[in-house]
Every structure is written in structure tokens, then in C-alpha cells.
Amino acid sequence: MNLLVAGGAGYVGSAVARRLSTSGHRVVVVDDLSAGHAEAVDGIRGIRLLRADLAAPGLDRALAAAGPVEAVLHFAGKIAVGESFADPEGYRRANVTGSEALLAWARAAGVRRFVFSSSAGVYGTPEKVPVPESAPLRPVSPYGETKVAVEERLAGAAKEWGLGAVALRYFNASGATDGGRHGEDHRPETHLIPRLLAAAASGSAVPIYGTDGPTPDGTCVRDYVHIEDLVEAHVRALDAVRPGEVRAFNVGAGSGASVREVIAAAERVTGRTVRTKDEPPRRGDPPSLVADISLAARELAWKPTRGLEEILASAWSWHRGRPGGYSGRRG
Ligand SMILES: NC(=O)c1ccc[n+]([C@@H]2O[C@H](COP(=O)([O-])OP(=O)(O)OC[C@H]3O[C@@H](n4cnc5c(N)ncnc54)[C@H](O)[C@@H]3O)[C@@H](O)[C@H]2O)c1
């Protein structure tokens, strides 16, 4: 198939783009490189990179070079919950306006299949954990609101012009791909695992945001899913698209680990002591967010195959192999 991968120079998008190209698909990545790394896809056979901002005027012109496209996988957007409170307009522009422009282009280009990177952030602070897809969508951050808005736009497109879409609601994507080609290198990095591994390597302290919440040890409980399992979910999602429907699936491990448990596991994996620093809870951070993954198991025949220690071991090996991140210039 001819595929357009929006945001495919980023962490998850580049890993998915590579898997799809090695399975024989022709992949065009469109990315503005605001947060991604050209190096993440450079030199991979079957992948071409176009540099463009989805939310800027002239997207049609930029994507004319993509050639015919049968399906779109859409990863592009801003991803930091905390930053979204400071810049809600920037988040709406990048995430909602950008998605609307991509959908308008897809409609005109005759694309009928779409896979979107949604987020556990759509649930806000769920009443029930593990949270099923049927839970109310009540985001507690501007970031989460943008994900709900895009899922709504997909539902509109399904109804109006028969688009078939799958929204994958990721929990915490983590780890590095097998062979270490793709790893997590966000700038600034707000995700726990890369931050604590950097702290393990440098001896600096990693902040723990919130230590007396309503969880067994007082720290936030999250669900960490290995990047290779997440990649596999995309391959299955692409096959599971049904014309005129939007299907949403949680993609997580189906079990949670507290910040202190992740730190203890990281100390075991790295053989180093991780220094910590207690900080107040962050806005928009629910105490506990764990996926109910039974729907994906049933409908996509997907289930995670790797646990937290494998996530940490792959991320540690990636970090040691590239101490400066992509281009050796980690921020
Ligand atoms: N990483 C996670 O744990 C996680 C969890 C839930 C949801 N998600 C979602 O998955 C997607 C990918 O996340 P990631 O961790 O790979 O993030 P990332 O920042 O590494 O990748 C996002 C990519 O989108 C590009 N981009 C941003 N705005 C753009 C625009 N206007 N036009 C073109 N390109 C643009 C960036 O340059 C970057 O390459 C995001 O939509 C994110 O919200 C990620």
C-alpha cells in the first residue's frame, strides 16, 4: 500500500513507519520536525520524508509530492500535558487544526483508511481503573481535549464521507525498538522512563510529582506499553479499519506500575541508584491510569508481549548507545 505517515519523524511514528516499510509498503513521512528527528527515518529503504507543518496554509501543495495515498497514519502533534496548560492555543492549532487540514486533504485525495494516535488523556481522571473504551471522555488538560476533538472530527468524516478510522488510545509508550534503531528522545523530555534513565546515568535527581495521592505508595500509577507492542497494534489497526466507522481501542499493558515501582525496576535493570526529589503533583495528572485492553484483545487479536523490565532494558541500552539522543544533541 501507499501510506502517508504524519508525524513519522517522531518517537512512535518513526518506529511504525519503519515496520511498515520493511513489510513492503511505500511510506511517505510528513513532519515539520518541530519535535521529531530526520535521523529517525533517514536512510531507511522505502521511506521518503517531506517537511511540512500540517496546520500551515498550503498543505495540499506540500503533499502533492506524496503521490497517491491509500491510508494515513496520523501521529503528528504536540504531546506534553503540562505545556498544554501554558499554551492551549498552540495545542489546538497543532493538534486540532493540523488534523482538520490533514482530513480535508485525505478526503480530496480519496483516502478511505485512517489510523490516529489518540491518548489515555481522553479519559481524564477515570472513575473505574482499568478504564474501558466505553468510559466517559472527560479530559482534564487542553492536550486531552485536543485528542477528544480529533476523535470527534473522525466521527464526522466517517459519517459525511465514509472514512474508516481507528483511534488507538495509547497509555505510556516506552522503550526502544529491537536493534535500537528507534528510542525516546523528546525535547524537552517530560516522560518518566527516559528522565530517570538520564538521571541514573548522570547521578542527577529525578523529580517525583506527587507522593501522597490515593495510590498504594502515594505516587502516580501508569500503564507502560513497549514500543514494539505498540507498533504491532498499528499494523493490526490498519487491517481493522471499517468503512464509515471509527473504532477506538486502548493500547496499554493492562497493568499499572507506580513511579516508585518504575524507579525500583530501573535500579535493578541498570544496577545504579536513582536519586529522587519529591515535588508537588502536576496539574492534569490523574493518580491512576491503567488500560482495560480486553477490547483490543478481542477485536484486533492484539496483546502486549513485553513487560516493564524489558521496556527499561531496551530504553537503557538505547540511552547508553546514544547518550546525546539523536544527532548527539539531546536538550
Ligand atoms: N509517547 C506517548 O507515550 C504517547 C501517549 C499517548 C499518545 N501519544 C500520541 O502519539 C503521537 C506520537 O507521540 P510521540 O511520543 O511519538 O511524539 P513525538 O513528539 O516524538 O512525535 C510527534 C511528531 O509530530 C511532529 N509534529 C508536531 N506538530 C506537527 C505539525 N503541526 N505538522 C507536522 N508535524 C508535526 C513532530 O515534529 C514529531 O516528529 C502523538 O500524537 C501523541 O499525542 C503518545
Side-chain angles (χ1 to χ4, degrees), residues 3-17 27-42 47-56 59 62-63 65-66 72-79 93-95 98 102 105 117 182 185-186 326:
L3 304 173
L4 185 76
V5 178
Y11 168 48
V12 185
S14 61
V16 172
V27 175
V28 174
V29 165
V30 57
D31 199 298
D32 66 357
L33 301 181
S34 55
H37 311 276
E39 199 192 322
V41 288
D42 270 354
I47 300 187
R48 197 152 55 93
L49 172 64
L50 299 178
R51 186 169 184 171
D53 172 357
L54 298 184
L59 184 65
L63 292 185
V72 170
L73 294 102
H74 176 27
F75 301 86
K78 289 177 174 281
I79 69 156
R93 178 189 177 277
N95 295 8
L102 185 61
W105 172 84
S117 305
H182 305 276
D185 181 8
H186 300 112
Y326 286 110

Side-chain angles (χ1 to χ4, degrees), residues 136-150:
L137 305 187
R138 289 191 199 125
V140 291
S141 69
Y143 167 75
E145 284 166 12
T146 67
K147 294 294 181 186
V148 173
V150 176

Side-chain angles (χ1 to χ4, degrees), residues 15-329:
V16 172
R18 176 153 168 273
R19 164 77 82 86
L20 293 168
S21 76
T22 50
S23 351
H25 298 291
R26 196 184 64 93
V27 175
V28 174
V29 165
V30 57
D31 199 298
D32 66 357
L33 301 181
S34 55
H37 311 276
E39 199 192 322
V41 288
D42 270 354
I44 300 178
R45 240 175 99 178
I47 300 187
R48 197 152 55 93
L49 172 64
L50 299 178
R51 186 169 184 171
D53 172 357
L54 298 184
L59 184 65
D60 291 358
R61 244 175 299 127
L63 292 185
V69 169
E70 289 150 88
V72 170
L73 294 102
H74 176 27
F75 301 86
K78 289 177 174 281
I79 69 156
V81 171
E83 187 187 58
S84 76
F85 286 101
D87 182 21
E89 204 34 64
Y91 271 67
R92 269 191 289 278
R93 178 189 177 277
N95 295 8
V96 185
T97 310
S99 299
E100 287 171 345
L102 185 61
L103 279 168
W105 172 84
R107 181 180 192 169
V111 173
R112 290 292 176 269
R113 289 209 231 184
F114 203 97
V115 177
F116 171 58
S117 305
S118 189
S119 162
V122 298
Y123 299 118
T125 304
E127 277 158 26
K128 194 175 136 200
V129 177
V131 58
E133 290 83 350
S134 55
L137 305 187
R138 289 191 199 125
V140 291
S141 69
Y143 167 75
E145 284 166 12
T146 67
K147 294 294 181 186
V148 173
V150 176
E151 288 198 19
E152 287 168 358
R153 302 301 187 274
L154 292 176
K159 203 163 144 206
E160 284 162 33
W161 50 279
L163 181 72
V166 171
L168 294 178
R169 295 176 181 160
Y170 312 167
F171 283 64
N172 292 61
S174 18
T177 54
D178 296 345
R181 181 69 171 79
H182 305 276
E184 200 168 359
D185 181 8
H186 300 112
R187 301 178 193 193
E189 187 58 81
T190 59
H191 293 169
L192 175 64
I193 289 177
R195 286 187 75 165
L196 76 84
L197 293 179
S202 68
S204 63
V206 68
I208 300 183
Y209 297 106
T211 51
D212 59 359
T215 59
D217 67 16
T219 65
C220 287
V221 170
R222 290 290 179 272
D223 177 320
Y224 297 90
V225 59
H226 194 288
I227 184 84
E228 289 285 2
D229 285 326
L230 189 51
V231 166
E232 183 60 33
H234 286 80
V235 172
R236 293 181 190 225
L238 203 49
D239 286 339
V241 169
R242 292 183 187 145
E245 265 187 53
V246 183
R247 311 177 74 193
F249 297 100
N250 288 340
V251 187
S255 58
S258 73
V259 173
R260 289 205 198 285
E261 285 171 334
V262 176
I263 291 171
E267 289 185 328
R268 284 195 298 278
V269 166
T270 62
R272 308 218 179 166
T273 302
V274 178
R275 289 175 49 232
T276 62
K277 189 166 65 152
D278 292 356
E279 296 280 352
R282 288 185 299 196
R283 201 170 161 202
D285 246 359
S288 185
L289 207 42
V290 177
D292 177 333
I293 52 171
S294 50
L295 190 66
R298 244 184 356 259
E299 305 267 324
L300 302 178
W302 175 88
K303 63 177 189 338
T305 59
R306 307 179 190 214
L308 187 57
E309 302 241 339
E310 277 171 285
I311 287 173
L312 287 162
S314 66
W316 180 235
S317 151
W318 195 81
H319 185 90
R320 303 239 289 179
R322 289 175 185 256
Y326 286 110
S327 325
R329 289 185 286 106

